[in-house]
Amino acid sequence: MAFLCRSAASLLKSSRAAPVLLSGSRLYSSGGQYEYILVEKRGEKSNVGFIQLNRPKALNALCDGLMREVIQALEVFDADADVGAVVITGSERAFAAGADIKEMQNKTFQECYTTKFLAHWCKVADARKPVIAAVNGFALGGGCELAMMCDIIYAGEKAQFGQPEILLGTIPGAGGTQRLTRAVGKSLAMEMVLTGDRINAQEAKQSGLVSKVYPVDQLVSEAIICGEKISANSKLVSAMAKEAVNAAFELSLAEGNRFEKRLFNATFATADRKEGMTAFVEKRKASFQDS
C-alpha cells in the first residue's frame, strides 16, 4: 500500500515548488486535460512519451485521481504510433513520497475488499510500450511501487527508496512485497518492509533495484535518451521483448524458454525482422516500419 512518510510530510509546509514544463516542451493534449500530471512528447523525433507527476505541495502524493490520469496517459501513448517508449518522473525533491493518506485513512476492510482498492494501479505495468521511471528524491511506499511497475528505473544520485507502510500499521498493497523481493532478494526486501528503512540510490543500484544512477540535473535527459534508443527499434518487436522478459517472473525456466522461443519464432513473421537482418548483412542502418 502506498505511504506518505512522516519525514516527507514534514516537508510539505516548506515546499514552494511550482509546476513547470521545461523550455521547448508542449502539453500533449490528445488524452485530454490533466489535473495532477504534465504530459508531452519529448526527444528529437518527439517519439518519447513524458509523464511528470505534478502535485508539488504534496510531494507528488499518489491520490486516486493522479493514478487514474497516469493510466489514461499511458493508454494514450500506447495508442500513439509515433511513441516508442514512455518516461515517468516527478520533481527533483520527490518522485512520489507515497499515497494520499487522507484518502485511505477512514476506509474499512469491507470497502477495500469489495471495491478492489488499489487494484487499478497495476495497469501501469500492463502498458504495452516500455516505461522508464526517472526517480529523483523520495520514492517511498506507493512511489516505490509505482517505480517498480515500470520496466527500467533510473535514479538521481539523491534518490531514496523505501516501503515504510509498517510504520502506519499496514503493509504494501500495490505490489511492494512482491516486486521488491524479486528485484533485491528476500533478505533486503524483508528488512525494508519490516523496518521501514530506506535505501539510497547507490544501494538501490547495487541491489539491482535500479539500473543506472545519474546526477540530479541529468537524470531526466538521460531517461529520455534511453527512451529514444528504444523508440528507434521496432515497436512491435520491443513489445514482444518486454513480454518475454516479464514472463521470467511468472514462469519456470523451462516454461520461460518455451515462451521465449515462441515469441522469437513469431518475429520471423514480421517485416521488421526481415529488414533488421537485411540491413545488418548490407551494412546499413535498419529502417523499421513497426510491422
Side-chain angles (χ1 to χ4, degrees):
M1 185 176 295
F3 173 79
L4 180 61
C5 70
R6 295 187 183 93
S7 60
S10 68
L11 297 174
L12 299 183
K13 293 183 181 179
S14 62
S15 175
R16 296 185 176 87
V20 174
L21 278 175
L22 300 182
S23 59
S25 63
R26 59 187 185 279
L27 183 65
Y28 183 64
S29 58
S30 296
Q33 296 299 314
Y34 300 97
E35 181 180 359
Y36 301 111
I37 61 176
L38 301 174
V39 182
E40 56 183 311
K41 290 184 184 181
R42 289 198 182 179
E44 292 184 5
K45 297 181 179 179
S46 295
N47 57 3
V48 179
F50 185 79
I51 301 172
Q52 183 175 6
L53 311 185
N54 188 36
R55 295 188 73 200
K57 292 183 179 180
L59 295 181
N60 294 327
L62 303 176
C63 62
D64 185 69
L66 183 150
M67 287 303 300
R68 291 187 183 279
E69 288 186 357
V70 168
I71 293 165
Q72 179 187 358
L74 285 172
E75 290 173 348
V76 171
F77 284 135
D78 261 353
D80 190 326
D82 294 329
V83 172
V86 180
V87 171
I88 299 179
T89 194
S91 67
E92 289 190 358
R93 297 186 67 190
F95 176 73
D100 193 328
I101 300 302
K102 291 181 180 179
E103 282 192 346
M104 65 177 71
Q105 179 181 4
N106 296 317
K107 287 187 179 294
T108 64
F109 161 75
Q110 291 86 346
E111 183 180 359
C112 290
Y113 187 80
T114 57
T115 63
K116 297 182 179 180
F117 183 50
L118 300 184
H120 64 287
W121 285 31
C122 291
K123 291 183 179 180
V124 172
D126 295 335
R128 295 277 295 173
K129 295 175 181 177
V131 181
I132 304 162
V135 177
N136 268 321
F138 299 112
L140 306 177
C144 188
E145 289 172 314
L146 175 58
M148 291 190 294
M149 291 178 201
C150 300
D151 303 301
I152 299 170
I153 304 178
Y154 280 4
E157 56 191 0
K158 295 182 180 180
Q160 297 183 41
F161 299 84
Q163 298 290 164
E165 289 85 351
I166 196 76
L167 304 179
L168 286 183
T170 187
I171 68 171
T177 62
Q178 303 304 299
R179 290 189 175 92
L180 186 63
T181 304
R182 286 165 169 78
V184 306
K186 177 184 176 181
S187 182
L188 180 55
M190 194 72 81
E191 180 183 22
M192 292 173 66
V193 169
L194 293 180
T195 66
D197 288 349
R198 311 172 196 167
I199 58 174
N200 61 33
Q202 289 298 335
E203 291 170 327
K205 184 177 186 301
Q206 292 168 4
S207 68
L209 182 60
V210 308
S211 57
K212 292 182 180 177
V213 177
Y214 291 102
V216 171
D217 60 349
Q218 297 177 24
L219 174 67
V220 171
S221 61
E222 291 293 340
I224 297 297
I225 289 172
C226 179
E228 289 182 295
K229 290 179 181 178
I230 293 170
S231 297
N233 298 320
S234 166
K235 298 177 183 64
L236 176 62
V237 177
S238 289
M240 297 168 76
K242 172 176 174 174
E243 185 178 5
V245 173
N246 282 334
F249 294 100
E250 307 291 340
L251 305 175
S252 69
L253 179 58
E255 292 170 330
N257 280 333
R258 286 193 291 270
F259 183 76
E260 177 192 81
K261 186 59 64 68
R262 287 195 296 271
L263 287 175
F264 168 74
N265 291 340
T267 66
F268 282 76
T270 69
D272 284 342
R273 192 281 315 168
K274 184 176 181 180
E275 164 62 13
M277 292 188 177
T278 300
F280 178 84
V281 172
E282 295 178 353
K283 297 182 180 180
R284 60 175 175 81
K285 186 176 180 180
S287 177
F288 296 117
Q289 301 301 313
D290 307 321
S291 63

